[in-house]
Short mmCIF file of all heavy atoms in Angstrom, two decimals:
data_model
loop_
_atom_site.label_atom_id
_atom_site.label_comp_id
_atom_site.label_asym_id
_atom_site.label_seq_id
_atom_site.Cartn_x
_atom_site.Cartn_y
_atom_site.Cartn_z
N PHE L 138 7.35 11.83 36.64
CA PHE L 138 6.13 11.18 36.18
C PHE L 138 6.00 11.41 34.68
O PHE L 138 6.17 12.53 34.20
CB PHE L 138 4.90 11.75 36.91
CG PHE L 138 3.60 11.33 36.29
CD1 PHE L 138 3.18 10.01 36.33
CD2 PHE L 138 2.78 12.26 35.65
CE1 PHE L 138 1.99 9.62 35.74
CE2 PHE L 138 1.59 11.88 35.07
CZ PHE L 138 1.19 10.54 35.11
N LEU L 139 5.69 10.33 33.96
CA LEU L 139 5.52 10.44 32.51
C LEU L 139 4.04 10.48 32.18
O LEU L 139 3.30 9.53 32.45
CB LEU L 139 6.18 9.24 31.81
CG LEU L 139 6.17 9.33 30.27
CD1 LEU L 139 7.09 10.44 29.79
CD2 LEU L 139 6.57 8.00 29.65
N LEU L 140 3.61 11.58 31.61
CA LEU L 140 2.22 11.70 31.14
C LEU L 140 2.21 11.19 29.69
O LEU L 140 2.78 11.83 28.81
CB LEU L 140 1.77 13.16 31.22
CG LEU L 140 0.29 13.45 30.94
CD1 LEU L 140 -0.14 14.72 31.67
CD2 LEU L 140 -0.04 13.58 29.49
N PRO L 141 1.60 10.04 29.46
CA PRO L 141 1.70 9.44 28.12
C PRO L 141 0.80 10.10 27.10
O PRO L 141 -0.32 10.52 27.41
CB PRO L 141 1.30 7.98 28.37
CG PRO L 141 0.39 8.04 29.54
CD PRO L 141 0.85 9.19 30.40
N TYR L 142 1.31 10.20 25.88
CA TYR L 142 0.54 10.65 24.71
C TYR L 142 0.16 9.37 23.96
O TYR L 142 1.04 8.68 23.43
CB TYR L 142 1.41 11.56 23.86
CG TYR L 142 0.81 11.97 22.52
CD1 TYR L 142 -0.03 13.07 22.42
CD2 TYR L 142 1.13 11.27 21.37
CE1 TYR L 142 -0.55 13.46 21.19
CE2 TYR L 142 0.62 11.65 20.13
CZ TYR L 142 -0.22 12.74 20.05
OH TYR L 142 -0.72 13.11 18.83
N GLN L 143 -1.11 9.03 23.96
CA GLN L 143 -1.52 7.74 23.40
C GLN L 143 -2.52 7.92 22.27
O GLN L 143 -3.47 8.69 22.40
CB GLN L 143 -2.15 6.86 24.49
CG GLN L 143 -1.14 6.41 25.54
CD GLN L 143 -1.79 5.56 26.61
OE1 GLN L 143 -2.99 5.66 26.85
NE2 GLN L 143 -0.99 4.74 27.27
N ILE L 144 -2.25 7.20 21.18
CA ILE L 144 -3.19 7.20 20.05
C ILE L 144 -4.09 5.98 20.21
O ILE L 144 -3.62 4.85 20.27
CB ILE L 144 -2.44 7.13 18.71
CG1 ILE L 144 -1.50 8.35 18.59
CG2 ILE L 144 -3.41 7.08 17.55
CD1 ILE L 144 -0.54 8.26 17.43
N ILE L 145 -5.37 6.25 20.33
CA ILE L 145 -6.31 5.15 20.47
C ILE L 145 -7.15 5.05 19.20
O ILE L 145 -7.44 6.06 18.58
CB ILE L 145 -7.24 5.32 21.70
CG1 ILE L 145 -7.95 6.68 21.64
CG2 ILE L 145 -6.46 5.20 22.99
CD1 ILE L 145 -9.06 6.83 22.63
N GLU L 146 -7.48 3.89 18.85
CA GLU L 146 -8.27 3.66 17.64
C GLU L 146 -9.67 3.23 18.04
O GLU L 146 -9.85 2.20 18.68
CB GLU L 146 -7.62 2.60 16.76
CG GLU L 146 -6.47 3.12 15.94
CD GLU L 146 -6.88 4.19 14.94
OE1 GLU L 146 -8.09 4.29 14.62
OE2 GLU L 146 -6.00 4.94 14.49
N GLN L 147 -10.64 4.02 17.64
CA GLN L 147 -12.02 3.63 17.89
C GLN L 147 -12.44 2.54 16.92
O GLN L 147 -13.23 1.67 17.23
CB GLN L 147 -12.95 4.84 17.74
CG GLN L 147 -12.58 6.02 18.62
CD GLN L 147 -12.88 5.78 20.07
OE1 GLN L 147 -13.67 4.92 20.40
NE2 GLN L 147 -12.23 6.53 20.95
N ARG L 148 -11.90 2.61 15.71
CA ARG L 148 -12.27 1.65 14.66
C ARG L 148 -11.05 0.83 14.29
O ARG L 148 -9.92 1.32 14.37
CB ARG L 148 -12.78 2.40 13.43
CG ARG L 148 -14.08 3.13 13.68
CD ARG L 148 -14.46 3.99 12.51
NE ARG L 148 -13.57 5.12 12.37
CZ ARG L 148 -13.63 6.00 11.38
NH1 ARG L 148 -14.54 5.86 10.45
NH2 ARG L 148 -12.80 7.00 11.31
N PRO L 149 -11.24 -0.41 13.91
CA PRO L 149 -10.09 -1.26 13.58
C PRO L 149 -9.35 -0.75 12.35
O PRO L 149 -9.96 -0.13 11.47
CB PRO L 149 -10.74 -2.62 13.32
CG PRO L 149 -12.16 -2.33 12.98
CD PRO L 149 -12.52 -1.10 13.75
N ARG L 150 -8.07 -1.00 12.32
CA ARG L 150 -7.26 -0.65 11.16
C ARG L 150 -7.11 -1.87 10.28
O ARG L 150 -6.97 -2.98 10.76
CB ARG L 150 -5.88 -0.16 11.60
CG ARG L 150 -5.94 0.94 12.62
CD ARG L 150 -5.49 2.28 12.16
NE ARG L 150 -4.16 2.35 11.64
CZ ARG L 150 -3.75 3.35 10.86
NH1 ARG L 150 -4.61 4.27 10.52
NH2 ARG L 150 -2.52 3.43 10.42
N ARG L 151 -7.16 -1.66 8.97
CA ARG L 151 -7.03 -2.76 8.02
C ARG L 151 -5.84 -2.53 7.11
O ARG L 151 -5.46 -1.40 6.86
CB ARG L 151 -8.31 -2.86 7.17
CG ARG L 151 -9.54 -3.23 7.96
CD ARG L 151 -10.74 -3.31 7.05
NE ARG L 151 -10.56 -4.27 5.97
CZ ARG L 151 -11.45 -4.50 5.01
NH1 ARG L 151 -12.59 -3.84 5.02
NH2 ARG L 151 -11.23 -5.39 4.07
N ARG L 152 -5.30 -3.62 6.65
CA ARG L 152 -4.23 -3.51 5.65
C ARG L 152 -4.87 -3.30 4.29
O ARG L 152 -5.83 -3.97 3.95
CB ARG L 152 -3.40 -4.79 5.61
CG ARG L 152 -2.58 -5.03 6.83
CD ARG L 152 -1.71 -6.26 6.63
NE ARG L 152 -1.09 -6.62 7.88
CZ ARG L 152 -1.65 -7.40 8.78
NH1 ARG L 152 -2.83 -7.93 8.56
NH2 ARG L 152 -1.03 -7.66 9.91
N ARG L 153 -4.29 -2.40 3.52
CA ARG L 153 -4.82 -2.22 2.17
C ARG L 153 -4.40 -3.37 1.28
O ARG L 153 -3.30 -3.91 1.38
CB ARG L 153 -4.33 -0.89 1.60
CG ARG L 153 -5.12 0.29 2.18
CD ARG L 153 -4.74 1.58 1.53
NE ARG L 153 -4.94 1.56 0.08
CZ ARG L 153 -4.77 2.62 -0.69
NH1 ARG L 153 -4.41 3.76 -0.16
NH2 ARG L 153 -4.95 2.54 -1.99
N VAL L 154 -5.32 -3.76 0.42
CA VAL L 154 -5.09 -4.89 -0.47
C VAL L 154 -4.08 -4.54 -1.56
O VAL L 154 -3.23 -5.35 -1.92
CB VAL L 154 -6.43 -5.33 -1.09
CG1 VAL L 154 -6.22 -6.32 -2.21
CG2 VAL L 154 -7.32 -5.92 -0.01
N ARG L 155 -4.18 -3.32 -2.06
CA ARG L 155 -3.25 -2.90 -3.12
C ARG L 155 -2.29 -1.85 -2.58
O ARG L 155 -2.59 -1.17 -1.60
CB ARG L 155 -4.04 -2.31 -4.30
CG ARG L 155 -4.92 -3.31 -5.01
CD ARG L 155 -5.74 -2.61 -6.06
NE ARG L 155 -4.90 -2.10 -7.14
CZ ARG L 155 -4.88 -2.61 -8.37
NH1 ARG L 155 -5.65 -3.62 -8.67
NH2 ARG L 155 -4.11 -2.09 -9.30
N LEU L 156 -1.17 -1.72 -3.24
CA LEU L 156 -0.23 -0.69 -2.86
C LEU L 156 -0.84 0.68 -3.18
O LEU L 156 -1.47 0.84 -4.22
CB LEU L 156 1.07 -0.83 -3.65
CG LEU L 156 2.01 -1.95 -3.25
CD1 LEU L 156 3.16 -2.03 -4.25
CD2 LEU L 156 2.55 -1.73 -1.85
N PRO L 157 -0.68 1.65 -2.29
CA PRO L 157 -1.16 2.99 -2.61
C PRO L 157 -0.52 3.49 -3.91
O PRO L 157 0.63 3.18 -4.21
CB PRO L 157 -0.69 3.82 -1.42
CG PRO L 157 -0.58 2.84 -0.31
CD PRO L 157 -0.13 1.56 -0.94
N TRP L 158 -1.27 4.25 -4.65
CA TRP L 158 -0.83 4.82 -5.92
C TRP L 158 -0.45 3.73 -6.93
O TRP L 158 0.52 3.85 -7.67
CB TRP L 158 0.33 5.81 -5.73
CG TRP L 158 -0.11 7.02 -4.98
CD1 TRP L 158 -0.86 8.04 -5.46
CD2 TRP L 158 0.12 7.32 -3.60
NE1 TRP L 158 -1.10 8.96 -4.46
CE2 TRP L 158 -0.51 8.55 -3.32
CE3 TRP L 158 0.80 6.66 -2.56
CZ2 TRP L 158 -0.48 9.13 -2.07
CZ3 TRP L 158 0.83 7.25 -1.33
CH2 TRP L 158 0.20 8.47 -1.08
#
Side-chain angles (χ1 to χ4, degrees):
Chain L
F138 168 67
L139 185 69
L140 188 153
Y142 173 86
Q143 292 180 336
I144 301 170
I145 55 168
E146 281 297 342
Q147 304 288 340
R148 294 173 291 176
R150 307 249 303 161
R151 295 180 58 182
R152 292 184 190 87
R153 282 186 57 175
V154 169
R155 295 175 67 109
L156 285 174
W158 293 285

